Amino acid sequence: EFEFMPDQDTAKYEVSIELPPETSLRETERRALDMAARVRSMGGVTRTLTTVGGGVQEKVNLAKILVELPHKSERGFTQTEAVRVTREVLADEPNAKVTVAPLPIANATGGRRADLELRLRGSSLDALAEVGAKAVADLSARDGFVDVDSSVQLGKPELMVQVDPRRAADLGVMGAQVATTVRALVAGVVPTQLEADGERYDVRVQLEQEDRS
C-alpha cells in the first residue's frame, strides 16, 4: 500500500454528484439535499454546504456538497476515515455518480482532484469514449481504486437556436448576446443565495419549464 502524496487533514472534503443529463434542477436539488442530510446523520460533521448547478457551464444535473468537520484535535477519527465512511454511506444512491475526495490545502474552498489521472488523445470521440469506458471498468474492478470516472459525456440533450443574421444585424444584436440571453432564460441565473439551518440555497431565476423547450 502506498500514497502518491499523503492527504492533509483540512477538516473539509467534498462530495461530487452527477445525475442523468435529463435531470431537472429541482430534482438535482432534492437529491443533493437528501445526500447532505445522510452525510450529516453520520455524526461528527460540523455542517454541509450544498451547491447545485454550479460551475462555469452551470449544468443543472451536477451538485457538490462541501463537508466540514471539527478540528482534528476535537474528533476521534481522521479525515480519511470520514471520506471512506461517506463513500460507503452514499454507495447505494440510484442513478448517480458520487465521488468523495478531500480538499487539498491549496484548494480548500472547492474543486475536485484525483490522485491518478489518465489522459487519452485521439481524433475520434466515439473511440476515445469506448477506450475510456474500458479503462474505467478495468480500474474499478481492481483493489485500491475508488471513484474511477471518465470526463467523456456523450448523448447529452441540447437546444439549438438558429439566429437570423439579417434581422440580428438590423437590430444591432451580436450572436454572443443572443447566446448569453438564451442561456440565462433556459439555464437561469443565480443573483443571490439564502441561508437557513446551516445550508445555503441558490435563488435561480429562469423561464417556466413549459417555456424552455
Side-chain angles (χ1 to χ4, degrees):
E1 181 178 351
F2 68 93
E3 293 178 308
F4 292 98
M5 182 179 295
D7 287 327
Q8 300 294 318
D9 195 324
T10 62
K12 295 180 181 179
Y13 61 95
E14 187 176 69
V15 179
S16 298
I17 305 164
E18 180 180 349
L19 300 175
E22 65 275 11
T23 306
S24 67
L25 176 65
R26 183 171 299 178
E27 176 63 11
T28 302
E29 179 182 32
R30 184 190 68 79
R31 292 286 303 276
L33 293 177
D34 285 347
M35 291 187 209
R38 295 185 68 184
V39 172
R40 291 194 302 273
S41 70
M42 298 187 316
V45 174
T46 302
R47 71 167 185 164
T48 58
L49 175 61
T50 304
T51 303
V52 180
V56 177
Q57 297 182 334
E58 295 187 341
K59 297 179 180 178
V60 298
N61 64 314
L62 303 182
K64 291 184 181 294
I65 303 171
L66 177 64
V67 184
E68 296 186 3
L69 305 172
H71 188 271
K72 59 184 179 181
S73 63
E74 300 175 355
R75 49 184 154 89
F77 57 90
T78 66
Q79 177 179 282
T80 300
E81 291 171 334
V83 168
R84 176 182 56 78
V85 172
T86 301
R87 190 177 289 123
E88 293 173 354
V89 167
L90 299 179
D92 61 350
E93 285 289 337
N95 299 321
K97 289 183 180 179
V98 181
T99 59
V100 188
L103 296 178
I105 293 178
N107 190 26
T109 58
R112 181 181 173 186
R113 70 184 181 95
D115 294 324
L116 180 63
E117 187 175 273
L118 176 64
R119 296 190 179 186
L120 304 176
R121 295 183 179 181
S123 57
S124 171
L125 182 59
D126 290 337
L128 288 173
E130 182 179 355
V131 174
K134 289 181 179 178
V136 169
D138 182 64
L139 293 174
S140 298
R142 297 173 181 266
D143 292 336
F145 290 92
V146 295
D147 296 339
V148 183
D149 195 13
S150 171
S151 62
V152 176
Q153 302 290 335
L154 299 178
K156 287 195 170 184
E158 62 181 8
L159 176 67
M160 298 185 67
V161 178
Q162 187 172 356
V163 179
D164 186 327
R166 291 186 177 181
R167 293 187 63 186
D170 290 341
L171 296 172
V173 178
M174 303 291 291
Q177 293 175 301
V178 176
T180 301
T181 301
V182 171
R183 181 177 185 81
L185 293 174
V186 176
V189 293
V190 182
T192 187
Q193 290 183 320
L194 295 177
E195 185 169 354
D197 299 327
E199 291 283 349
R200 290 183 182 177
Y201 301 91
D202 290 339
V203 177
R204 183 174 294 270
V205 180
Q206 63 184 158
L207 290 175
E208 292 287 348
Q209 180 67 44
E210 59 269 19
D211 296 325
R212 285 182 247 151
S213 58

PDB file of all heavy atoms in Angstrom, residues 114-154:
ATOM      1  N   ALA A 114      -7.772  14.384  -8.376  1.00  0.00           N
ATOM      2  CA  ALA A 114      -7.594  12.938  -8.439  1.00  0.00           C
ATOM      3  C   ALA A 114      -6.133  12.631  -8.168  1.00  0.00           C
ATOM      4  O   ALA A 114      -5.237  13.361  -8.591  1.00  0.00           O
ATOM      5  CB  ALA A 114      -8.005  12.413  -9.816  1.00  0.00           C
ATOM      6  N   ASP A 115      -5.884  11.551  -7.443  1.00  0.00           N
ATOM      7  CA  ASP A 115      -4.504  11.149  -7.162  1.00  0.00           C
ATOM      8  C   ASP A 115      -3.815  10.620  -8.415  1.00  0.00           C
ATOM      9  O   ASP A 115      -2.600  10.734  -8.564  1.00  0.00           O
ATOM     10  CB  ASP A 115      -4.487  10.069  -6.075  1.00  0.00           C
ATOM     11  CG  ASP A 115      -4.964  10.615  -4.733  1.00  0.00           C
ATOM     12  OD1 ASP A 115      -4.657  11.777  -4.432  1.00  0.00           O
ATOM     13  OD2 ASP A 115      -5.647   9.878  -4.007  1.00  0.00           O
ATOM     14  N   LEU A 116      -4.594  10.034  -9.308  1.00  0.00           N
ATOM     15  CA  LEU A 116      -4.041   9.487 -10.541  1.00  0.00           C
ATOM     16  C   LEU A 116      -4.981   9.828 -11.687  1.00  0.00           C
ATOM     17  O   LEU A 116      -6.187   9.629 -11.601  1.00  0.00           O
ATOM     18  CB  LEU A 116      -3.899   7.959 -10.427  1.00  0.00           C
ATOM     19  CG  LEU A 116      -3.341   7.230 -11.646  1.00  0.00           C
ATOM     20  CD1 LEU A 116      -1.913   7.679 -11.935  1.00  0.00           C
ATOM     21  CD2 LEU A 116      -3.388   5.720 -11.435  1.00  0.00           C
ATOM     22  N   GLU A 117      -4.419  10.373 -12.756  1.00  0.00           N
ATOM     23  CA  GLU A 117      -5.220  10.783 -13.902  1.00  0.00           C
ATOM     24  C   GLU A 117      -4.609  10.229 -15.181  1.00  0.00           C
ATOM     25  O   GLU A 117      -3.397  10.342 -15.409  1.00  0.00           O
ATOM     26  CB  GLU A 117      -5.274  12.308 -13.979  1.00  0.00           C
ATOM     27  CG  GLU A 117      -6.227  12.838 -15.041  1.00  0.00           C
ATOM     28  CD  GLU A 117      -6.328  14.349 -14.996  1.00  0.00           C
ATOM     29  OE1 GLU A 117      -7.160  14.869 -14.217  1.00  0.00           O
ATOM     30  OE2 GLU A 117      -5.552  15.017 -15.722  1.00  0.00           O
ATOM     31  N   LEU A 118      -5.440   9.612 -16.004  1.00  0.00           N
ATOM     32  CA  LEU A 118      -5.005   9.040 -17.273  1.00  0.00           C
ATOM     33  C   LEU A 118      -5.635   9.849 -18.399  1.00  0.00           C
ATOM     34  O   LEU A 118      -6.856   9.963 -18.477  1.00  0.00           O
ATOM     35  CB  LEU A 118      -5.448   7.573 -17.369  1.00  0.00           C
ATOM     36  CG  LEU A 118      -5.141   6.842 -18.688  1.00  0.00           C
ATOM     37  CD1 LEU A 118      -3.635   6.753 -18.893  1.00  0.00           C
ATOM     38  CD2 LEU A 118      -5.770   5.447 -18.680  1.00  0.00           C
ATOM     39  N   ARG A 119      -4.794  10.410 -19.273  1.00  0.00           N
ATOM     40  CA  ARG A 119      -5.295  11.235 -20.363  1.00  0.00           C
ATOM     41  C   ARG A 119      -5.171  10.475 -21.687  1.00  0.00           C
ATOM     42  O   ARG A 119      -4.113   9.968 -22.021  1.00  0.00           O
ATOM     43  CB  ARG A 119      -4.511  12.550 -20.456  1.00  0.00           C
ATOM     44  CG  ARG A 119      -4.673  13.427 -19.217  1.00  0.00           C
ATOM     45  CD  ARG A 119      -4.101  14.807 -19.434  1.00  0.00           C
ATOM     46  NE  ARG A 119      -4.287  15.652 -18.265  1.00  0.00           N
ATOM     47  CZ  ARG A 119      -3.988  16.947 -18.221  1.00  0.00           C
ATOM     48  NH1 ARG A 119      -3.473  17.532 -19.293  1.00  0.00           N
ATOM     49  NH2 ARG A 119      -4.186  17.636 -17.118  1.00  0.00           N
ATOM     50  N   LEU A 120      -6.283  10.433 -22.410  1.00  0.00           N
ATOM     51  CA  LEU A 120      -6.326   9.765 -23.705  1.00  0.00           C
ATOM     52  C   LEU A 120      -6.501  10.808 -24.801  1.00  0.00           C
ATOM     53  O   LEU A 120      -7.283  11.753 -24.640  1.00  0.00           O
ATOM     54  CB  LEU A 120      -7.480   8.759 -23.750  1.00  0.00           C
ATOM     55  CG  LEU A 120      -7.491   7.677 -22.661  1.00  0.00           C
ATOM     56  CD1 LEU A 120      -8.755   6.831 -22.790  1.00  0.00           C
ATOM     57  CD2 LEU A 120      -6.251   6.810 -22.752  1.00  0.00           C
ATOM     58  N   ARG A 121      -5.817  10.630 -25.908  1.00  0.00           N
ATOM     59  CA  ARG A 121      -5.928  11.563 -27.026  1.00  0.00           C
ATOM     60  C   ARG A 121      -6.217  10.800 -28.307  1.00  0.00           C
ATOM     61  O   ARG A 121      -5.751   9.685 -28.497  1.00  0.00           O
ATOM     62  CB  ARG A 121      -4.634  12.375 -27.198  1.00  0.00           C
ATOM     63  CG  ARG A 121      -4.334  13.308 -26.023  1.00  0.00           C
ATOM     64  CD  ARG A 121      -3.097  14.130 -26.292  1.00  0.00           C
ATOM     65  NE  ARG A 121      -2.810  15.034 -25.191  1.00  0.00           N
ATOM     66  CZ  ARG A 121      -1.782  15.896 -25.178  1.00  0.00           C
ATOM     67  NH1 ARG A 121      -0.947  15.946 -26.220  1.00  0.00           N
ATOM     68  NH2 ARG A 121      -1.601  16.691 -24.146  1.00  0.00           N
ATOM     69  N   GLY A 122      -6.977  11.412 -29.194  1.00  0.00           N
ATOM     70  CA  GLY A 122      -7.287  10.787 -30.464  1.00  0.00           C
ATOM     71  C   GLY A 122      -8.219  11.663 -31.271  1.00  0.00           C
ATOM     72  O   GLY A 122      -8.735  12.675 -30.775  1.00  0.00           O
ATOM     73  N   SER A 123      -8.454  11.284 -32.510  1.00  0.00           N
ATOM     74  CA  SER A 123      -9.286  12.098 -33.403  1.00  0.00           C
ATOM     75  C   SER A 123     -10.756  11.689 -33.385  1.00  0.00           C
ATOM     76  O   SER A 123     -11.611  12.410 -33.892  1.00  0.00           O
ATOM     77  CB  SER A 123      -8.750  11.998 -34.847  1.00  0.00           C
ATOM     78  OG  SER A 123      -8.720  10.636 -35.278  1.00  0.00           O
ATOM     79  N   SER A 124     -11.061  10.522 -32.805  1.00  0.00           N
ATOM     80  CA  SER A 124     -12.439  10.034 -32.771  1.00  0.00           C
ATOM     81  C   SER A 124     -12.959  10.057 -31.342  1.00  0.00           C
ATOM     82  O   SER A 124     -12.459   9.324 -30.475  1.00  0.00           O
ATOM     83  CB  SER A 124     -12.513   8.615 -33.336  1.00  0.00           C
ATOM     84  OG  SER A 124     -13.808   8.057 -33.128  1.00  0.00           O
ATOM     85  N   LEU A 125     -13.996  10.866 -31.107  1.00  0.00           N
ATOM     86  CA  LEU A 125     -14.577  10.950 -29.769  1.00  0.00           C
ATOM     87  C   LEU A 125     -15.227   9.634 -29.372  1.00  0.00           C
ATOM     88  O   LEU A 125     -15.134   9.205 -28.218  1.00  0.00           O
ATOM     89  CB  LEU A 125     -15.603  12.080 -29.711  1.00  0.00           C
ATOM     90  CG  LEU A 125     -16.270  12.329 -28.353  1.00  0.00           C
ATOM     91  CD1 LEU A 125     -15.217  12.660 -27.300  1.00  0.00           C
ATOM     92  CD2 LEU A 125     -17.294  13.458 -28.455  1.00  0.00           C
ATOM     93  N   ASP A 126     -15.875   8.970 -30.333  1.00  0.00           N
ATOM     94  CA  ASP A 126     -16.516   7.688 -30.028  1.00  0.00           C
ATOM     95  C   ASP A 126     -15.484   6.646 -29.604  1.00  0.00           C
ATOM     96  O   ASP A 126     -15.703   5.869 -28.661  1.00  0.00           O
ATOM     97  CB  ASP A 126     -17.287   7.182 -31.247  1.00  0.00           C
ATOM     98  CG  ASP A 126     -18.529   8.014 -31.535  1.00  0.00           C
ATOM     99  OD1 ASP A 126     -19.026   8.667 -30.593  1.00  0.00           O
ATOM    100  OD2 ASP A 126     -18.995   8.014 -32.684  1.00  0.00           O
ATOM    101  N   ALA A 127     -14.335   6.626 -30.314  1.00  0.00           N
ATOM    102  CA  ALA A 127     -13.285   5.665 -29.970  1.00  0.00           C
ATOM    103  C   ALA A 127     -12.691   5.973 -28.604  1.00  0.00           C
ATOM    104  O   ALA A 127     -12.427   5.065 -27.803  1.00  0.00           O
ATOM    105  CB  ALA A 127     -12.187   5.681 -31.030  1.00  0.00           C
ATOM    106  N   LEU A 128     -12.491   7.258 -28.317  1.00  0.00           N
ATOM    107  CA  LEU A 128     -11.962   7.650 -27.009  1.00  0.00           C
ATOM    108  C   LEU A 128     -12.931   7.258 -25.904  1.00  0.00           C
ATOM    109  O   LEU A 128     -12.524   6.802 -24.829  1.00  0.00           O
ATOM    110  CB  LEU A 128     -11.713   9.156 -26.978  1.00  0.00           C
ATOM    111  CG  LEU A 128     -10.522   9.674 -27.786  1.00  0.00           C
ATOM    112  CD1 LEU A 128     -10.505  11.205 -27.791  1.00  0.00           C
ATOM    113  CD2 LEU A 128      -9.213   9.142 -27.211  1.00  0.00           C
ATOM    114  N   ALA A 129     -14.230   7.459 -26.168  1.00  0.00           N
ATOM    115  CA  ALA A 129     -15.245   7.097 -25.166  1.00  0.00           C
ATOM    116  C   ALA A 129     -15.222   5.599 -24.896  1.00  0.00           C
ATOM    117  O   ALA A 129     -15.335   5.161 -23.744  1.00  0.00           O
ATOM    118  CB  ALA A 129     -16.629   7.539 -25.638  1.00  0.00           C
ATOM    119  N   GLU A 130     -15.057   4.794 -25.955  1.00  0.00           N
ATOM    120  CA  GLU A 130     -15.028   3.344 -25.796  1.00  0.00           C
ATOM    121  C   GLU A 130     -13.807   2.891 -25.000  1.00  0.00           C
ATOM    122  O   GLU A 130     -13.919   2.080 -24.069  1.00  0.00           O
ATOM    123  CB  GLU A 130     -15.026   2.673 -27.168  1.00  0.00           C
ATOM    124  CG  GLU A 130     -15.054   1.152 -27.107  1.00  0.00           C
ATOM    125  CD  GLU A 130     -15.066   0.517 -28.486  1.00  0.00           C
ATOM    126  OE1 GLU A 130     -15.146   1.263 -29.490  1.00  0.00           O
ATOM    127  OE2 GLU A 130     -14.984  -0.730 -28.551  1.00  0.00           O
ATOM    128  N   VAL A 131     -12.642   3.432 -25.354  1.00  0.00           N
ATOM    129  CA  VAL A 131     -11.417   3.071 -24.631  1.00  0.00           C
ATOM    130  C   VAL A 131     -11.493   3.551 -23.186  1.00  0.00           C
ATOM    131  O   VAL A 131     -11.098   2.844 -22.253  1.00  0.00           O
ATOM    132  CB  VAL A 131     -10.184   3.677 -25.337  1.00  0.00           C
ATOM    133  CG1 VAL A 131      -8.925   3.431 -24.507  1.00  0.00           C
ATOM    134  CG2 VAL A 131     -10.020   3.073 -26.720  1.00  0.00           C
ATOM    135  N   GLY A 132     -12.024   4.765 -22.987  1.00  0.00           N
ATOM    136  CA  GLY A 132     -12.146   5.298 -21.639  1.00  0.00           C
ATOM    137  C   GLY A 132     -13.074   4.467 -20.774  1.00  0.00           C
ATOM    138  O   GLY A 132     -12.791   4.215 -19.596  1.00  0.00           O
ATOM    139  N   ALA A 133     -14.174   4.006 -21.356  1.00  0.00           N
ATOM    140  CA  ALA A 133     -15.123   3.174 -20.611  1.00  0.00           C
ATOM    141  C   ALA A 133     -14.485   1.857 -20.194  1.00  0.00           C
ATOM    142  O   ALA A 133     -14.705   1.373 -19.075  1.00  0.00           O
ATOM    143  CB  ALA A 133     -16.366   2.926 -21.456  1.00  0.00           C
ATOM    144  N   LYS A 134     -13.676   1.287 -21.085  1.00  0.00           N
ATOM    145  CA  LYS A 134     -12.992   0.037 -20.756  1.00  0.00           C
ATOM    146  C   LYS A 134     -11.981   0.256 -19.628  1.00  0.00           C
ATOM    147  O   LYS A 134     -11.845  -0.589 -18.728  1.00  0.00           O
ATOM    148  CB  LYS A 134     -12.292  -0.521 -21.994  1.00  0.00           C
ATOM    149  CG  LYS A 134     -13.240  -1.069 -23.052  1.00  0.00           C
ATOM    150  CD  LYS A 134     -12.478  -1.624 -24.247  1.00  0.00           C
ATOM    151  CE  LYS A 134     -13.426  -2.195 -25.297  1.00  0.00           C
ATOM    152  NZ  LYS A 134     -12.692  -2.698 -26.493  1.00  0.00           N
ATOM    153  N   ALA A 135     -11.276   1.390 -19.683  1.00  0.00           N
ATOM    154  CA  ALA A 135     -10.298   1.693 -18.627  1.00  0.00           C
ATOM    155  C   ALA A 135     -10.982   1.885 -17.286  1.00  0.00           C
ATOM    156  O   ALA A 135     -10.499   1.409 -16.250  1.00  0.00           O
ATOM    157  CB  ALA A 135      -9.496   2.942 -19.005  1.00  0.00           C
ATOM    158  N   VAL A 136     -12.123   2.569 -17.297  1.00  0.00           N
ATOM    159  CA  VAL A 136     -12.880   2.789 -16.058  1.00  0.00           C
ATOM    160  C   VAL A 136     -13.335   1.459 -15.480  1.00  0.00           C
ATOM    161  O   VAL A 136     -13.216   1.213 -14.268  1.00  0.00           O
ATOM    162  CB  VAL A 136     -14.086   3.712 -16.316  1.00  0.00           C
ATOM    163  CG1 VAL A 136     -15.022   3.719 -15.109  1.00  0.00           C
ATOM    164  CG2 VAL A 136     -13.626   5.129 -16.620  1.00  0.00           C
ATOM    165  N   ALA A 137     -13.864   0.589 -16.331  1.00  0.00           N
ATOM    166  CA  ALA A 137     -14.349  -0.709 -15.865  1.00  0.00           C
ATOM    167  C   ALA A 137     -13.213  -1.558 -15.306  1.00  0.00           C
ATOM    168  O   ALA A 137     -13.358  -2.217 -14.270  1.00  0.00           O
ATOM    169  CB  ALA A 137     -15.048  -1.442 -17.008  1.00  0.00           C
ATOM    170  N   ASP A 138     -12.062  -1.528 -15.979  1.00  0.00           N
ATOM    171  CA  ASP A 138     -10.927  -2.336 -15.544  1.00  0.00           C
ATOM    172  C   ASP A 138     -10.379  -1.843 -14.208  1.00  0.00           C
ATOM    173  O   ASP A 138     -10.125  -2.640 -13.290  1.00  0.00           O
ATOM    174  CB  ASP A 138      -9.829  -2.303 -16.605  1.00  0.00           C
ATOM    175  CG  ASP A 138      -8.634  -3.163 -16.217  1.00  0.00           C
ATOM    176  OD1 ASP A 138      -8.792  -4.388 -16.107  1.00  0.00           O
ATOM    177  OD2 ASP A 138      -7.542  -2.596 -16.004  1.00  0.00           O
ATOM    178  N   LEU A 139     -10.203  -0.542 -14.078  1.00  0.00           N
ATOM    179  CA  LEU A 139      -9.649   0.007 -12.840  1.00  0.00           C
ATOM    180  C   LEU A 139     -10.631  -0.142 -11.681  1.00  0.00           C
ATOM    181  O   LEU A 139     -10.228  -0.394 -10.544  1.00  0.00           O
ATOM    182  CB  LEU A 139      -9.280   1.477 -13.033  1.00  0.00           C
ATOM    183  CG  LEU A 139      -8.113   1.759 -13.994  1.00  0.00           C
ATOM    184  CD1 LEU A 139      -7.932   3.259 -14.208  1.00  0.00           C
ATOM    185  CD2 LEU A 139      -6.820   1.141 -13.457  1.00  0.00           C
ATOM    186  N   SER A 140     -11.920   0.030 -11.964  1.00  0.00           N
ATOM    187  CA  SER A 140     -12.935  -0.087 -10.903  1.00  0.00           C
ATOM    188  C   SER A 140     -12.967  -1.488 -10.317  1.00  0.00           C
ATOM    189  O   SER A 140     -13.344  -1.668  -9.149  1.00  0.00           O
ATOM    190  CB  SER A 140     -14.317   0.277 -11.449  1.00  0.00           C
ATOM    191  OG  SER A 140     -14.356   1.625 -11.890  1.00  0.00           O
ATOM    192  N   ALA A 141     -12.581  -2.475 -11.118  1.00  0.00           N
ATOM    193  CA  ALA A 141     -12.605  -3.861 -10.655  1.00  0.00           C
ATOM    194  C   ALA A 141     -11.366  -4.227  -9.846  1.00  0.00           C
ATOM    195  O   ALA A 141     -11.301  -5.310  -9.267  1.00  0.00           O
ATOM    196  CB  ALA A 141     -12.731  -4.808 -11.856  1.00  0.00           C
ATOM    197  N   ARG A 142     -10.405  -3.344  -9.793  1.00  0.00           N
ATOM    198  CA  ARG A 142      -9.152  -3.627  -9.091  1.00  0.00           C
ATOM    199  C   ARG A 142      -9.184  -3.046  -7.678  1.00  0.00           C
ATOM    200  O   ARG A 142      -9.764  -1.976  -7.449  1.00  0.00           O
ATOM    201  CB  ARG A 142      -7.957  -3.043  -9.854  1.00  0.00           C
ATOM    202  CG  ARG A 142      -7.757  -3.648 -11.236  1.00  0.00           C
ATOM    203  CD  ARG A 142      -6.661  -2.913 -11.996  1.00  0.00           C
ATOM    204  NE  ARG A 142      -6.472  -3.477 -13.329  1.00  0.00           N
ATOM    205  CZ  ARG A 142      -5.571  -4.403 -13.629  1.00  0.00           C
ATOM    206  NH1 ARG A 142      -4.770  -4.867 -12.674  1.00  0.00           N
ATOM    207  NH2 ARG A 142      -5.450  -4.857 -14.856  1.00  0.00           N
ATOM    208  N   ASP A 143      -8.552  -3.730  -6.759  1.00  0.00           N
ATOM    209  CA  ASP A 143      -8.458  -3.237  -5.388  1.00  0.00           C
ATOM    210  C   ASP A 143      -7.592  -1.976  -5.358  1.00  0.00           C
ATOM    211  O   ASP A 143      -6.612  -1.852  -6.089  1.00  0.00           O
ATOM    212  CB  ASP A 143      -7.837  -4.297  -4.476  1.00  0.00           C
ATOM    213  CG  ASP A 143      -8.742  -5.502  -4.295  1.00  0.00           C
ATOM    214  OD1 ASP A 143      -9.968  -5.332  -4.466  1.00  0.00           O
ATOM    215  OD2 ASP A 143      -8.227  -6.599  -4.014  1.00  0.00           O
ATOM    216  N   GLY A 144      -7.974  -1.052  -4.497  1.00  0.00           N
ATOM    217  CA  GLY A 144      -7.170   0.154  -4.319  1.00  0.00           C
ATOM    218  C   GLY A 144      -7.633   1.342  -5.126  1.00  0.00           C
ATOM    219  O   GLY A 144      -7.131   2.450  -4.936  1.00  0.00           O
ATOM    220  N   PHE A 145      -8.614   1.141  -6.037  1.00  0.00           N
ATOM    221  CA  PHE A 145      -9.110   2.247  -6.846  1.00  0.00           C
ATOM    222  C   PHE A 145     -10.549   2.570  -6.437  1.00  0.00           C
ATOM    223  O   PHE A 145     -11.388   1.676  -6.333  1.00  0.00           O
ATOM    224  CB  PHE A 145      -9.088   1.894  -8.341  1.00  0.00           C
ATOM    225  CG  PHE A 145      -7.701   1.802  -8.921  1.00  0.00           C
ATOM    226  CD1 PHE A 145      -7.031   0.586  -8.964  1.00  0.00           C
ATOM    227  CD2 PHE A 145      -7.069   2.929  -9.426  1.00  0.00           C
ATOM    228  CE1 PHE A 145      -5.754   0.498  -9.498  1.00  0.00           C
ATOM    229  CE2 PHE A 145      -5.794   2.853  -9.955  1.00  0.00           C
ATOM    230  CZ  PHE A 145      -5.132   1.640  -9.999  1.00  0.00           C
ATOM    231  N   VAL A 146     -10.822   3.844  -6.217  1.00  0.00           N
ATOM    232  CA  VAL A 146     -12.174   4.289  -5.870  1.00  0.00           C
ATOM    233  C   VAL A 146     -12.515   5.520  -6.703  1.00  0.00           C
ATOM    234  O   VAL A 146     -11.632   6.229  -7.184  1.00  0.00           O
ATOM    235  CB  VAL A 146     -12.300   4.640  -4.364  1.00  0.00           C
ATOM    236  CG1 VAL A 146     -12.116   3.420  -3.500  1.00  0.00           C
ATOM    237  CG2 VAL A 146     -11.311   5.734  -3.978  1.00  0.00           C
ATOM    238  N   ASP A 147     -13.812   5.752  -6.889  1.00  0.00           N
ATOM    239  CA  ASP A 147     -14.295   6.932  -7.610  1.00  0.00           C
ATOM    240  C   ASP A 147     -13.672   7.056  -8.987  1.00  0.00           C
ATOM    241  O   ASP A 147     -13.312   8.148  -9.437  1.00  0.00           O
ATOM    242  CB  ASP A 147     -14.024   8.215  -6.799  1.00  0.00           C
ATOM    243  CG  ASP A 147     -14.783   8.254  -5.495  1.00  0.00           C
ATOM    244  OD1 ASP A 147     -15.793   7.533  -5.387  1.00  0.00           O
ATOM    245  OD2 ASP A 147     -14.380   8.991  -4.578  1.00  0.00           O
ATOM    246  N   VAL A 148     -13.516   5.931  -9.680  1.00  0.00           N
ATOM    247  CA  VAL A 148     -12.973   5.958 -11.040  1.00  0.00           C
ATOM    248  C   VAL A 148     -14.045   6.479 -11.985  1.00  0.00           C
ATOM    249  O   VAL A 148     -15.178   6.001 -11.990  1.00  0.00           O
ATOM    250  CB  VAL A 148     -12.507   4.555 -11.483  1.00  0.00           C
ATOM    251  CG1 VAL A 148     -11.878   4.630 -12.868  1.00  0.00           C
ATOM    252  CG2 VAL A 148     -11.527   3.982 -10.473  1.00  0.00           C
ATOM    253  N   ASP A 149     -13.701   7.449 -12.812  1.00  0.00           N
ATOM    254  CA  ASP A 149     -14.692   8.084 -13.675  1.00  0.00           C
ATOM    255  C   ASP A 149     -14.020   8.574 -14.948  1.00  0.00           C
ATOM    256  O   ASP A 149     -12.790   8.683 -15.017  1.00  0.00           O
ATOM    257  CB  ASP A 149     -15.366   9.244 -12.937  1.00  0.00           C
ATOM    258  CG  ASP A 149     -16.631   9.703 -13.634  1.00  0.00           C
ATOM    259  OD1 ASP A 149     -17.114   8.986 -14.530  1.00  0.00           O
ATOM    260  OD2 ASP A 149     -17.142  10.777 -13.287  1.00  0.00           O
ATOM    261  N   SER A 150     -14.827   8.886 -15.926  1.00  0.00           N
ATOM    262  CA  SER A 150     -14.346   9.421 -17.199  1.00  0.00           C
ATOM    263  C   SER A 150     -14.969  10.782 -17.439  1.00  0.00           C
ATOM    264  O   SER A 150     -16.132  11.018 -17.077  1.00  0.00           O
ATOM    265  CB  SER A 150     -14.702   8.474 -18.351  1.00  0.00           C
ATOM    266  OG  SER A 150     -14.434   9.065 -19.601  1.00  0.00           O
ATOM    267  N   SER A 151     -14.219  11.675 -18.057  1.00  0.00           N
ATOM    268  CA  SER A 151     -14.736  13.016 -18.337  1.00  0.00           C
ATOM    269  C   SER A 151     -15.551  13.068 -19.625  1.00  0.00           C
ATOM    270  O   SER A 151     -16.169  14.092 -19.917  1.00  0.00           O
ATOM    271  CB  SER A 151     -13.570  14.014 -18.445  1.00  0.00           C
ATOM    272  OG  SER A 151     -12.712  13.664 -19.526  1.00  0.00           O
ATOM    273  N   VAL A 152     -15.572  11.981 -20.391  1.00  0.00           N
ATOM    274  CA  VAL A 152     -16.323  11.959 -21.647  1.00  0.00           C
ATOM    275  C   VAL A 152     -17.814  11.887 -21.353  1.00  0.00           C
ATOM    276  O   VAL A 152     -18.265  11.025 -20.595  1.00  0.00           O
ATOM    277  CB  VAL A 152     -15.906  10.766 -22.529  1.00  0.00           C
ATOM    278  CG1 VAL A 152     -16.777  10.704 -23.784  1.00  0.00           C
ATOM    279  CG2 VAL A 152     -14.447  10.895 -22.921  1.00  0.00           C
ATOM    280  N   GLN A 153     -18.572  12.777 -21.958  1.00  0.00           N
ATOM    281  CA  GLN A 153     -20.012  12.807 -21.781  1.00  0.00           C
ATOM    282  C   GLN A 153     -20.662  12.809 -23.157  1.00  0.00           C
ATOM    283  O   GLN A 153     -20.574  13.777 -23.894  1.00  0.00           O
ATOM    284  CB  GLN A 153     -20.445  14.067 -21.002  1.00  0.00           C
ATOM    285  CG  GLN A 153     -19.803  14.213 -19.641  1.00  0.00           C
ATOM    286  CD  GLN A 153     -20.327  13.178 -18.666  1.00  0.00           C
ATOM    287  OE1 GLN A 153     -21.434  12.669 -18.831  1.00  0.00           O
ATOM    288  NE2 GLN A 153     -19.546  12.858 -17.651  1.00  0.00           N
ATOM    289  N   LEU A 154     -21.303  11.702 -23.528  1.00  0.00           N
ATOM    290  CA  LEU A 154     -21.956  11.600 -24.827  1.00  0.00           C
ATOM    291  C   LEU A 154     -23.472  11.575 -24.674  1.00  0.00           C
ATOM    292  O   LEU A 154     -23.996  11.207 -23.634  1.00  0.00           O
ATOM    293  CB  LEU A 154     -21.511  10.318 -25.545  1.00  0.00           C
ATOM    294  CG  LEU A 154     -20.013  10.187 -25.861  1.00  0.00           C
ATOM    295  CD1 LEU A 154     -19.741   8.848 -26.517  1.00  0.00           C
ATOM    296  CD2 LEU A 154     -19.552  11.326 -26.750  1.00  0.00           C
TER     297      LEU A 154
END
